[in-house]
């Protein structure tokens, strides 16, 4: 974790520093020498986005470096902010290689939003899942920020959000042998209590007596018990009358079950609880920063494994809401546990239900790893708000159609519906399956393409990305009940 300190420019000590050079001559802020400015301007002429490193040696021969990041101010606000997040990730890599732990950040010709984006990129790229490694990379521990850009409180609020993103990544990166449903539920209970919110954990017995048939069926093959976690953050004077329900897929590990995943398709499936981790982190960040919105999270958790007792294709499950489901493929398990969670959430009369789930390979095939596949039912206005916000924070969503014809594809001969359709439009039929259970305005987010990057992806890093938390947090921050009413 980086410790941030605000400091007046004049006090930014003579340590290694980063300077963001927007559209003015940087002489004003840091004491650049004449030759340095000439050199900088020349570099800038050749490449408007050049990263220029100025090295200075003192009498003792000790070198301090100034990383000057030029950037082109002619982009849209969202694009220039994203560019700065990405530049920060590049710089972080250089700093790490140079074993630099302390740095000062300043700039000229940039606005606070741009500085915030840069610090966001720096913080999020400074994360490593290294607790199992003997040799750890050097990371930034302290960053001194020019106090012209923020008040302490503004910076603190951002830092709390970034910390939750890193915490989400930790949860997702832990393998199943270290983090099963029971342990994850315990961690959330502890974290929730620290944050001062209400946490309810249903154990196996309660899940059974509630007749959450979907969660019970998927859990049958597991040696571990299932859990169902409910988080509730209710501020004193919420803007919304009814809660927003966040539902997250908590498959702690997805082997596919009896329809076991072949070859290397099983790899990375520790990340199949990223939806639950994302929703928990989002709610906790909202609570940390006291957003004026009443939010609940519903998180069904189990792993999906084959065993002598595992649920099988052809099984017919009676779900929490009484719907019967024909199992066609045990690897389409996420929708089965999520359906019970959505149905359970209905009773709180949420004004909006949003789920996040690493639900389908089909979503990845459709839009790749650049964004989230989104669908909605009776939630056109919230979806429009979500789209606007998603472009702003650059965690983008692509809306897929929810035509009624897709409903035909999940009709079953032997039950009310079945858990998968045909090969085509796989992420839509998965969404349609879930929408069957939602009795309130509903948005489905398939995060399969973005939750986990096997190779380093800029400030998202390698492994769990935390993608979607900034999006949902920004959505909650701008959420206004007016968007709900037509
Ligand atoms: N967890 C997977 C989806 C997934 C795939 C997430 C790749 C991240 C990366 C999900 O449970 C699954 O296995 N879905 C199947 C559904 C099929 C059997 C209808 C899929 O997408 O192949
Ligand atoms: Zn699966
Ligand atoms: Zn899965």
């Amino acid at each position: 974790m980086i410790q941030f300190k605000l400091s007046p420019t004049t006090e930014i000590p003579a340590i290694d520093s980063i300077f963001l050079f927007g559209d003015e001559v940087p002489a004003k802020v840091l004491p650049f020498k004449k030759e340095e400015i000439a050199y900088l301007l020349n570099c800038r002429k050749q490449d408007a986005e050049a990263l220029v490193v100025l090295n200075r040696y003192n009498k003792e021969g000790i070198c301090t470096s100034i990383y000057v990041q030029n950037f082109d101010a002619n982009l849209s606000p969202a694009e220039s902010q994203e560019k700065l997040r990405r530049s920060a990730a590049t710089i972080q890599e250089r700093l790490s290689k140079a074993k630099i732990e302390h740095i000062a950040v300043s700039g000229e010709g940039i606005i606070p939003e741009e500085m915030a984006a840069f610090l966001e990129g720096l913080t999020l790229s400074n994360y490593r899942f290294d607790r199992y490694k003997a040799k750890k990379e050097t990371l930034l521990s302290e960053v001194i920020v020019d106090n012209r850009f923020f008040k302490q409180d503004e910076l603190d609020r951002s830092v709390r959000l970034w910390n939750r993103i890193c915490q989400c990544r930790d949860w997702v990166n832990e393998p199943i042998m270290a983090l099963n449903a029971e342990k994850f539920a315990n961690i959330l209970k502890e974290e929730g209590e620290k944050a001062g919110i209400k946490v309810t954990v249903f154990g196996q017995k309660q899940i059974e007596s509630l007749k959450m048939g979907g969660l019970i069926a998927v859990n049958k093959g597991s040696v571990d018990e299932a859990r169902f976690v409910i988080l509730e953050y209710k501020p004193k004077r919420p803007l919304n009358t009814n809660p927003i329900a966040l539902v997250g897929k908590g498959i702690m590990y997805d082997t596919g079950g009896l329809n076991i995943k072949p070859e290397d398709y099983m790899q990375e499936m520790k990340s199949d609880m990223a939806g639950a981790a994302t929703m928990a982190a989002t709610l906790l960040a909202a609570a940390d920063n006291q957003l004026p919105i009443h939010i609940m999270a519903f998180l069904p958790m189990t792993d999906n494994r084959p065993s002598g007792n595992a649920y099988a294709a052809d099984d017919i499950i009676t779900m929490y809401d009484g719907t019967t489901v024909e199992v066609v493929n045990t690897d389409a398990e996420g929708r089965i546990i999520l359906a019970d969670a959505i149905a359970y959430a209905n009773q709180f009369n949420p004004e909006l239900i949003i789920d996040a789930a690493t639900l389908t390979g089909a979503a990845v095939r459709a839009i790749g790893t650049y964004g989230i596949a989104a669908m909605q039912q009776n939630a056109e206005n919230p979806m429009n708000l979500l789209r606007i916000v998603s472009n702003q924070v650059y965690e983008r969503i692509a809306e897929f159609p929810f035509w009624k014809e897709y409903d035909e594809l999940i009709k079953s001969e032997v039950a009310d519906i079945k858990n998968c359709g045909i090969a085509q439009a796989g992420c839509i039929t998965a969404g349609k399956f879930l929408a069957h259970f939602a009795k309130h305005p509903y948005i489905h987010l398939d995060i399969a393409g973005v939750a986990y990057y096997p190779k380093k992806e800029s400030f998202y890093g390698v492994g769990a990305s935390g993608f979607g938390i900034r999006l949902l947090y920004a959505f909650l921050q701008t959420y206004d009940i007016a968007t709900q009413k037509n």
Side-chain angles (χ1 to χ4, degrees):
M1 287 294 121
I2 299 178
Q3 293 298 322
F4 284 96
K5 285 195 184 125
L6 286 171
S7 173
T9 318
T10 49
E11 283 172 26
I12 288 184
I15 62 167
D16 298 305
S17 56
I18 300 169
F19 192 88
L20 304 180
F21 183 6
D23 49 13
E24 284 170 51
V25 178
K28 289 187 206 161
V29 175
L30 278 191
F32 285 108
K33 293 171 197 144
K34 248 199 198 138
E35 323 75 271
E36 287 174 337
I37 293 174
Y39 176 61
L40 277 174
L41 290 175
N42 194 32
C43 292
R44 197 179 163 83
K45 216 182 273 164
Q46 280 164 30
D47 175 2
E49 291 168 7
L51 171 63
V52 185
V53 186
L54 302 173
N55 288 321
R56 291 173 174 179
Y57 294 87
N58 67 10
K59 282 181 208 121
E60 288 82 47
I62 294 169
C63 172
T64 52
S65 304
I66 306 174
Y67 295 77
V68 182
Q69 178 64 60
N70 291 278
F71 89 102
D72 179 3
N74 291 324
L75 297 168
S76 73
E79 275 176 330
S80 61
Q81 286 167 32
E82 178 68 2
K83 225 170 205 154
L84 283 162
R85 282 184 206 100
R86 288 178 178 261
S87 316
T90 307
I91 294 176
Q92 190 282 331
E93 209 168 292
R94 305 253 315 236
L95 299 178
S96 175
K97 287 211 178 94
K99 303 210 184 304
I100 292 173
E101 284 181 54
H102 305 271
I103 196 119
V105 187
S106 181
E108 196 58 48
I110 63 160
I111 56 174
E113 286 80 1
E114 290 165 342
M115 181 55 95
F118 183 83
L119 297 179
E120 184 162 80
L122 202 60
T123 308
L124 296 179
S125 58
N126 195 56
Y127 168 91
R128 296 290 180 281
F129 182 64
D130 58 5
R131 58 175 292 210
Y132 295 99
K133 284 173 80 98
K135 251 179 101 183
K136 303 186 202 309
E137 287 171 54
T138 305
L139 295 170
L140 288 171
S141 60
E142 187 188 65
V143 174
I144 295 168
V145 181
D146 184 340
N147 72 353
R148 288 180 308 155
F149 292 96
F150 317 102
K151 296 201 181 76
Q152 187 69 48
D153 174 61
E154 292 166 337
L155 186 57
D156 290 346
R157 291 174 73 79
S158 301
V159 169
R160 287 195 281 266
L161 172 63
W162 303 334
N163 286 344
R164 290 299 182 186
I165 294 172
C166 294
Q167 188 173 42
C168 167
R169 290 174 177 175
D170 273 340
W171 295 333
V172 176
N173 282 325
E174 281 294 348
I176 176 70
M177 73 184 292
L179 193 69
N180 62 13
E182 184 190 345
K183 288 181 197 158
F184 191 31
N186 290 344
I187 287 176
L188 291 181
K189 181 139 188 84
E190 212 174 282
E191 281 300 323
E193 279 162 8
K194 270 197 270 173
I197 61 164
K198 187 172 161 196
V199 184
T200 311
V201 179
F202 295 151
Q204 189 74 28
K205 283 216 183 79
Q206 282 152 303
I207 291 166
E208 274 160 21
S209 62
L210 285 166
K211 300 205 172 96
M212 293 186 162
L215 183 52
I216 295 165
V218 175
N219 178 253
K220 274 177 73 180
S222 176
V223 290
D224 295 330
E225 291 190 353
R227 289 291 181 270
F228 189 85
V229 176
I230 303 167
L231 308 175
E232 181 171 18
Y233 164 62
K234 191 171 186 182
K236 284 218 179 69
R237 264 177 246 98
L239 293 177
N240 48 340
T241 28
N242 292 322
I244 293 186
L246 305 177
V247 179
K249 173 174 173 181
I251 291 291
M252 305 308 294
Y253 197 81
D254 185 10
T255 66
L258 288 175
N259 291 106
I260 198 159
K261 288 186 182 289
E263 293 140 21
D264 53 5
Y265 282 92
M266 207 182 293
Q267 266 170 39
E268 298 161 25
M269 281 302 142
K270 66 177 184 181
S271 66
D272 216 20
M273 37 63 84
T278 299
M279 290 319 204
T282 300
L283 185 141
L284 287 165
D288 290 343
N289 285 338
Q290 300 286 300
L291 297 191
I293 305 283
H294 180 196
I295 313 163
M296 297 181 79
F298 300 89
L299 313 171
M301 301 173 186
T302 175
D303 51 334
N304 180 29
R305 278 185 201 259
S307 90
N309 197 38
Y311 84 130
D314 296 343
D315 273 345
I316 299 172
I317 307 168
T318 302
M319 305 289 284
Y320 174 74
D321 77 347
T323 301
T324 55
V325 170
E326 176 194 359
V327 178
V328 173
N329 189 317
T330 63
D331 198 9
E333 82 298 335
R335 62 199 80 178
I336 296 178
I337 67 165
L338 285 166
D340 276 352
I342 291 169
Y344 190 83
N346 282 331
Q347 66 189 287
F348 298 90
N349 290 316
E351 52 186 61
L352 177 63
I353 302 174
I354 311 179
D355 82 75
T358 47
L359 205 62
T360 65
V364 194
R365 287 191 292 277
I367 59 167
T369 59
Y370 302 104
I372 296 174
M375 288 141 248
Q376 58 83 18
Q377 173 172 275
N378 302 322
E380 230 174 284
N381 290 341
M383 183 66 108
N384 287 337
L385 177 64
L386 189 69
R387 185 181 309 99
I388 292 167
V389 165
S390 87
N391 290 328
Q392 282 167 355
V393 304
Y394 223 76
E395 292 193 330
R396 293 167 298 177
I397 60 171
E399 188 175 351
F400 283 60
F402 241 3
W403 298 320
K404 64 181 187 307
E405 283 76 4
Y406 296 113
D407 292 317
E408 301 301 314
L409 300 176
I410 52 168
K411 282 199 173 142
S412 162
E413 297 292 338
V414 292
D416 298 334
I417 50 174
K418 55 186 177 184
N419 80 330
C420 27
I422 53 174
Q424 296 159 353
C427 74
I428 298 175
T429 47
K432 274 287 188 183
F433 181 93
L434 297 175
H436 171 93
F437 296 87
K439 301 279 173 278
H440 299 275
Y442 171 60
I443 291 177
H444 165 54
L445 302 176
D446 193 329
I447 58 169
V450 293
Y452 194 94
Y453 291 114
K455 283 204 243 69
K456 187 176 178 188
E457 175 53 47
S458 185
F459 61 90
Y460 288 107
V462 60
S465 66
F467 195 111
I469 300 171
R470 289 192 300 115
L471 165 65
L472 289 163
Y473 181 87
F475 175 79
L476 293 169
Q477 210 176 15
T478 48
Y479 183 81
D480 182 333
I481 32 179
T483 61
Q484 273 297 103
K485 322 247 148 80
N486 296 315

